[in-house]
Amino acid sequence: MIRVVLIDDQALMRAGFRALLEAEDGIEVVGEAADGERGIALVRECVPDVALIDVQMPVMTGIEATRRIAADPRLSGVRVVILTNYGLDEYVFDALRAGASGFLLKDTEPADLLHGIEIVARGDSLLSPSVTSRLIGEFVARPPDRATAPGLENLTRREREVTALAARGLTNEEIATHMVISPFTAKTHVSRAMTKLGARDRAQLVVFAYESGLVAARNATS
C-alpha cells in the first residue's frame, strides 16, 4: 500500500486528487493540508511514502516545505512530488534543488498521475527523458556553481561518468550499454554516486551534475 498525503491550498483540487487516488487499489490517502506549515506537521505525523505538494501556497511555500522534509532524517523515506500549473518554471528548478523527486502538472492525465506516484514510491525520480532534456537546457544556460555542489572530488572516474550519463537522461540499461557494463553494475555505480553526494534520487543527481560543471553545455546537445 502506497501512503500519500495531499498538500494544496485549493480544497477542490485536494478533493479531486483524493477521489482519484482512493479509487485505485494499492494507494491510500492518509491526510490533507491546506498550507506548507500544516503540511510539514502532517508529514511528520504520518510519514507517508509520497507527499504531493503544491508549489505555491500560503504560510509556507511548497519549496520550503520540500526543503524541510528533505533535511529531516526521520523523513528520509518520504518522496516529494511537486504539483504545478506552469510546467518547467523557476519554482520547479528550486524544488528539485530542495529535494523533490519530480513534478506533475495539475492537469496531468489520471493514469499519468497514478503511474508517477508508483514510480516515486519505489525510489525512482519522476523525470521523463523529455523533461530531463528541458532541465538540461535550463541548467547549461547558467554558469557552474561548484561552491553549492561539493563532493565531486569524492567520486571515482566511473562514478563521474555514470553521473554525467544519468544527468543526460539515460536509464541504467542505457548507461550499461554506453559503458559496456552490466545493468546491475551501472545501477551500483549510480547508487554509490548518490550516496557519496547525499542525493535522495536521480533528480538530485541531475542537479548536481549541472551545478558542479560535471556536465558542460556542449554535452547537452550531444
Side-chain angles (χ1 to χ4, degrees):
M1 183 69 69
I2 301 173
R3 303 171 72 251
V4 178
V5 298
L6 304 173
I7 307 173
D8 193 305
D9 62 326
Q10 299 180 31
L12 186 60
M13 187 64 66
R14 295 197 310 273
F17 278 126
R18 176 182 279 274
L20 174 63
L21 296 177
E22 292 192 334
E24 185 73 9
D25 292 337
I27 297 179
E28 177 187 9
V29 177
V30 295
E32 299 180 19
D35 63 65
E37 189 171 276
R38 293 180 182 178
I40 288 291
L42 177 64
V43 169
R44 288 172 175 161
E45 176 186 351
C46 298
V47 191
D49 300 300
V50 178
L52 295 180
I53 303 181
D54 185 20
V55 71
Q56 292 180 292
M57 293 182 293
V59 185
M60 181 189 297
T61 68
I63 294 170
E64 181 58 28
T66 299
R67 185 175 293 112
R68 296 193 186 190
I69 291 171
D72 191 335
R74 297 169 298 174
L75 304 178
S76 60
V78 179
R79 295 290 176 259
V80 173
V81 175
I82 290 293
L83 300 171
T84 176
N85 289 316
Y86 310 110
L88 278 168
D89 58 14
E90 188 65 28
Y91 293 113
V92 170
F93 298 115
D94 288 344
L96 290 174
R97 292 190 190 92
S101 295
F103 77 96
L104 285 168
L105 294 175
K106 287 189 175 182
D107 63 354
T108 192
E109 292 294 326
D112 291 336
L113 171 66
L114 297 172
H115 183 56
I117 288 174
E118 292 172 355
I119 288 174
V120 170
R122 68 174 182 242
D124 294 330
S125 60
L126 189 55
L127 293 174
S128 67
S130 61
V131 169
T132 302
S133 296
R134 293 175 66 187
L135 276 171
I136 288 170
E138 171 66 20
F139 278 118
V140 300
R142 307 175 180 184
D145 186 0
R146 292 172 176 81
T148 64
L152 184 60
E153 68 280 359
N154 296 328
L155 300 184
T156 65
R157 180 182 61 81
R158 281 292 205 181
E159 289 164 354
R160 292 189 188 200
E161 187 175 356
V162 298
T163 297
L165 292 172
R168 290 163 60 185
L170 274 66
T171 64
N172 288 340
E173 290 72 20
E174 291 168 336
I175 290 172
T177 299
H178 182 90
M179 297 178 65
V180 196
I181 57 178
S182 71
F184 176 80
T185 300
K187 181 178 180 180
T188 299
H189 284 314
V190 170
S191 296
R192 287 177 178 169
M194 289 171 55
T195 298
K196 289 182 179 180
L197 298 172
R200 287 166 64 89
D201 53 34
R202 293 172 83 98
Q204 302 307 297
L205 216 54
V206 172
V207 172
F208 171 84
Y210 286 96
E211 292 198 327
S212 68
L214 179 60
V215 177
R218 62 179 179 275
N219 292 333
T221 56
S222 62

